[in-house]
C-alpha cells in the first residue's frame, strides 16, 4: 500500500487476508459456528434471509487466471466474469460450499449457476426469480412472495424455522455494515482521501466473503484509525470506476501508481453492493424485498426509466471526480447498452472517460499505456 501512515497496517491486512484466504475463513467459520456456507451469484441475493438462518453467504467470484475448463459447459461468448466464476467451481475451489443460490440478474451469470448446479455436486441449490421490472409497483409484493418461498425452502433444507426476530437481527447486522461502509467511503470525498481505491476495494470485497459481524468489528477499528491517518501520498487525479463486476486489485493498483486515486465507483463488487439499507421497521420480508427492488440498479433492471445515469452523475459530483474509467467485461450486453448514455452524460458534465474492455486476464501493460495517456490528457486540461 502506498500511503505513508500512522495507521496500524494490520487493519488493512485483515481485509486483504480475508479476500485472499476466503476458503480458509469459510472453513474455520463452519468449524466455529456449525453453520452452513452458501455461495451466491450476483448482488441481488437476499443475504439477510440466509444470515438469519445461520448461513454464511459468500459471493462467488473469479480468479483472473487463464482457464480451459468451462468450454464444454458455457458458450465462449458469454462474459469472462461468469466463465471465470464457473471455472472456480469446476476446479474445486469452492468445495467448502454447502449450497449455491442465485437471484435472477443477467442470462450469462445464470448460465454459470445452471452449469454449476448440473456438474458440481452441491447439497442445496436455489434459483430466486428476482423481478426484472423493478420499477413496477408489483415488484416488491412479487419479491416478498418469492422470499417467503425461499424461506420455506431454507427451513426445509436446514430442518428448522427462521423466525422474524432472527430476520430482524440479521437486517440490523447488515444495515450496520452498510452504515460503516458509507462512513469509510464518505472519507474519500476529502481533498486527501485517507485510503486508496485499492484499500477501499479490499474492504468492500472482503465484506462479501466473511461474517458481517466480524467485518463490522474490523470496520469500526478501521474508522477509529482512519480519522488519525497522516496521508503523505499525493492524491493526484481523482478518478471514478464504472462497470459490472470489478475485483481486479492489481488493475486498481496499477492506475493509482500512475498518479491518480480512485475516490468512488459504481460497480456491483463496490458501492452497488452496499449502497441501500433495509428499512428498520415493519414486517421483515417486505422490507427486504423493497431494499432489493429499490437498490441502485444493475443495467439489466434499469428500465423503462434510466435511473443509473443520474446516480452516477451525483456520485461524480459529490466525490469531485475529474475522470472516469468505464470498464466492461467483454460480451457483457447489459453494461454495453448503458455505456453510451453514461459516457454522454459524464462528458457533458465535463468529466472525460476512458473505456477499457476486460477479459479473464487483464493486460496490465497495455492498459497502463492507455491509462497514462488518459491521465496526461486530464492533467493538461487542468492547466488550461
Ligand atoms: S458482467 Fe455483464 S454479462 Fe457478465 S455477469 Fe455481470 S451483468 Fe452479466
Amino acid at each position: 500500500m502506498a500511503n505513508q501512515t500512522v495507521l496500524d497496517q494490520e487493519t488493512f491486512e485483515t481485509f486483504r487476508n480475508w479476500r485472499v484466504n476466503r476458503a480458509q475463513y469459510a472453513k474455520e467459520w463452519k468449524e466455529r459456528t456449525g453453520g452452513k456456507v452458501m455461495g451466491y451469484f450476483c448482488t441481488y441475493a437476499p443475504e439477510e434471509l440466509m444470515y438469519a438462518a445461520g448461513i454464511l453467504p459468500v459471493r462467488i467470484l473469479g480468479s483472473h487466471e487463464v482457464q480451459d475448463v468451462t468450454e464444454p459447459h458455457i458458450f465462449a461468448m458469454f462474459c469472462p466474469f461468469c466463465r471465470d466464476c464457473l471455472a472456480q467451481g469446476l476446479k474445486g475451489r469452492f468445495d467448502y460450499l454447502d449450497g449455491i443460490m442465485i437471484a435472477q440478474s443477467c442470462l450469462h451469470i445464470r448460465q454459470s449457476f445452471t452449469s454449476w448446479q448440473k456438474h458440481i455436486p452441491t447439497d442445496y441449490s436455489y434459483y430466486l426469480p428476482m423481478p426484472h421490472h423493478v420499477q413496477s409497483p408489483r415488484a416488491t409484493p412479487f419479491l416478498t412472495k418469492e422470499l417467503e418461498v425461499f424461506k420455506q425452502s431454507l427451513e426445509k433444507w436446514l430442518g428448522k424455522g427462521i423466525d422474524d426476530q432472527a430476520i430482524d437481527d440479521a437486517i440490523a447486522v447488515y444495515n450496520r455494515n452498510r452504515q460503516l461502509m458509507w462512513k469509510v467511503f464518505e472519507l474519500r470525498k476529502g481533498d486527501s482521501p485517507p485510503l486508496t481505491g485499492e484499500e477501499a476495494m479490499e474492504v468492500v470485497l472482503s465484506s462479501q466473503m466473511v461474517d458481517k459481524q466480524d467485518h463490522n468489528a474490523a470496520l469500526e477499528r478501521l474508522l477509529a484509525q482512519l480519522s488519525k491517518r497522516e496521508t503523505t501520498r499525493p492524491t493526484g487525479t481523482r478518478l471514478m470506476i464504472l462497470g459490472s463486476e470489478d475485483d481486479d486489485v492489481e488493475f486498481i493498483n496499477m492506475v493509482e501508481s500512475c498518479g491518480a486515486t480512485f475516490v468512488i465507483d459504481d460497480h456491483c463488487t463496490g458501492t452497488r453492493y452496499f449502497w441501500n439499507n433495509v428499512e428498520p421497521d415493519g414486517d421483515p420480508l417486505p422490507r427486504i424485498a423493497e431494499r432489493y427492488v429499490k437498490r441502485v440498479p444493475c443495467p439489466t433492471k434499469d428500465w423503462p426509466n434510466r435511473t443509473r445515469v443520474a446516480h452516477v452523475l451525483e456520485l461524480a459530483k459529490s466525490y469531485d471526480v475529474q475522470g472516469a474509467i468505464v470498464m466492461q467485461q467483454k460480451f457483457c450486453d447489459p453494461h454495453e447498452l448503458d455505456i453510451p448514455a453514461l459516457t454522454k452524460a459524464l462528458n457533458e458534465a465535463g468529466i472525460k472517460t476512458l473505456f477499457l474492455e476486460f477479459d479473464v486476464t487483464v493486460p496490465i501493460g497495455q492498459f497502463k499505456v492507455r491509462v497514462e495517456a488518459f491521465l496526461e490528457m486530464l492533467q493538461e486540461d487542468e492547466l488550461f
Side-chain angles (χ1 to χ4, degrees):
M1 306 284 172
N3 265 332
Q4 299 290 313
T5 177
V6 295
L7 183 112
D8 173 4
Q9 204 56 49
E10 264 183 38
T11 304
F12 273 120
E13 283 305 308
T14 302
F15 297 112
R16 203 183 97 78
N17 284 338
W18 278 338
R19 176 183 65 80
V20 175
N21 303 313
R22 63 193 84 167
Q24 186 191 339
Y25 175 91
K27 286 173 190 169
E28 287 172 2
W29 181 91
K30 279 209 296 197
E31 275 177 29
R32 172 160 56 97
T33 65
K36 293 191 186 290
V37 179
M38 179 92 80
Y40 68 88
F41 299 81
C42 181
T43 49
Y44 280 96
E47 287 186 58
E48 293 87 344
L49 195 48
M50 295 182 256
Y51 195 75
I55 292 168
L56 174 67
V58 297
R59 179 102 183 252
I60 294 173
L61 293 172
S63 67
H64 303 285
E65 294 162 11
V66 179
Q67 58 86 14
D68 60 1
V69 293
T70 57
E71 205 66 17
H73 306 290
I74 196 165
F75 190 39
M77 270 186 68
F78 275 33
C79 87
F81 171 73
C82 71
R83 283 183 280 125
D84 198 4
C85 286
L86 179 61
Q88 303 314 302
L90 292 167
K91 287 178 173 180
R93 291 189 178 154
F94 279 90
D95 59 357
Y96 52 90
L97 295 183
D98 300 292
I100 55 164
M101 70 86 58
I102 189 170
Q104 174 65 38
S105 52
C106 82
L107 286 177
H108 293 208
I109 200 71
R110 183 170 169 188
Q111 183 58 48
S112 304
F113 169 79
T114 309
S115 296
W116 193 304
Q117 221 179 9
K118 274 193 164 174
H119 302 290
I120 302 162
T122 320
D123 191 33
Y124 175 87
S125 66
Y126 194 85
Y127 166 77
L128 179 77
M130 167 79 210
H132 269 319
H133 190 5
V134 292
Q135 293 173 17
S136 161
R138 294 178 294 281
T140 299
F142 177 95
L143 185 57
T144 302
K145 289 284 176 208
E146 288 298 340
L147 291 180
E148 279 169 19
V149 180
F150 181 38
K151 177 170 168 282
Q152 286 159 14
S153 168
L154 289 174
E155 287 172 335
K156 192 171 165 209
W157 177 44
L158 299 170
K160 64 173 189 183
I162 308 168
D163 62 32
D164 281 2
Q165 187 57 53
I167 304 176
D168 274 335
D169 292 346
I171 290 172
V173 170
Y174 271 70
N175 277 352
R176 178 77 187 137
N177 191 255
R178 293 172 185 130
Q179 283 157 2
L180 293 166
M181 291 295 298
W182 290 334
K183 283 189 183 173
V184 172
F185 272 52
E186 276 287 308
L187 296 170
R188 303 170 77 194
K189 285 181 175 173
D191 287 344
S192 299
L195 70 167
T196 62
E198 182 187 352
E199 289 167 336
M201 182 174 266
E202 295 286 13
V203 172
V204 68
L205 284 175
S206 60
S207 76
Q208 295 160 55
M209 292 155 190
V210 304
D211 190 318
K212 289 286 191 284
Q213 296 199 58
D214 289 345
H215 203 259
N216 287 349
L219 280 175
E220 274 162 15
R221 280 197 304 278
L222 175 67
L223 276 162
Q225 292 180 12
L226 279 179
S227 58
K228 293 180 275 176
R229 193 176 207 188
E230 290 167 7
T231 308
T232 54
R233 174 187 176 275
T235 304
T237 306
R238 300 174 68 90
L239 293 178
M240 176 178 210
I241 184 157
L242 305 170
S244 52
E245 286 79 11
D246 177 26
D247 61 341
D248 200 317
V249 179
E250 198 189 342
F251 172 76
I252 300 291
N253 178 289
M254 177 276 284
V255 176
E256 294 195 315
S257 72
C258 297
T261 301
F262 284 106
V263 291
I264 192 62
D265 71 81
D266 177 66
H267 55 70
C268 77
T269 31
T271 59
R272 277 209 300 281
Y273 173 66
F274 68 84
W275 211 245
N276 300 68
N277 249 337
V278 178
E279 289 296 323
D281 300 313
D283 286 348
L285 292 188
R287 285 186 286 127
I288 294 176
E290 186 175 49
R291 189 263 166 192
Y292 286 89
V293 163
K294 292 193 173 164
R295 52 157 272 189
V296 180
C298 166
T300 52
K301 300 187 192 294
D302 198 25
W303 53 272
N305 297 321
R306 204 167 228 163
T307 62
R308 186 171 163 241
V309 174
H311 172 70
V312 165
L313 280 179
E314 177 54 35
L315 283 181
K317 200 171 123 200
S318 55
Y319 282 79
D320 195 16
V321 164
Q322 294 167 292
I325 294 188
V326 181
M327 54 82 56
Q328 194 214 333
Q329 296 282 344
K330 199 173 180 179
F331 308 128
C332 167
D333 296 336
H335 281 267
E336 192 162 16
L337 287 169
D338 238 19
I339 287 171
L342 270 181
T343 308
K344 182 168 178 279
L346 285 165
N347 292 167
E348 282 173 2
I351 298 166
K352 290 205 165 80
T353 52
L354 171 67
F355 172 81
L356 295 175
E357 188 178 68
F358 279 48
D359 210 324
V360 171
T361 57
V362 171
I364 289 287
Q366 281 175 37
F367 279 0
K368 189 168 187 209
V369 174
R370 296 182 60 190
V371 166
E372 283 172 338
F374 179 60
L375 292 175
E376 210 173 290
M377 182 178 69
L378 294 180
Q379 282 149 14
E380 277 173 14
D381 284 355
E382 291 288 303
L383 296 174
F384 297 104

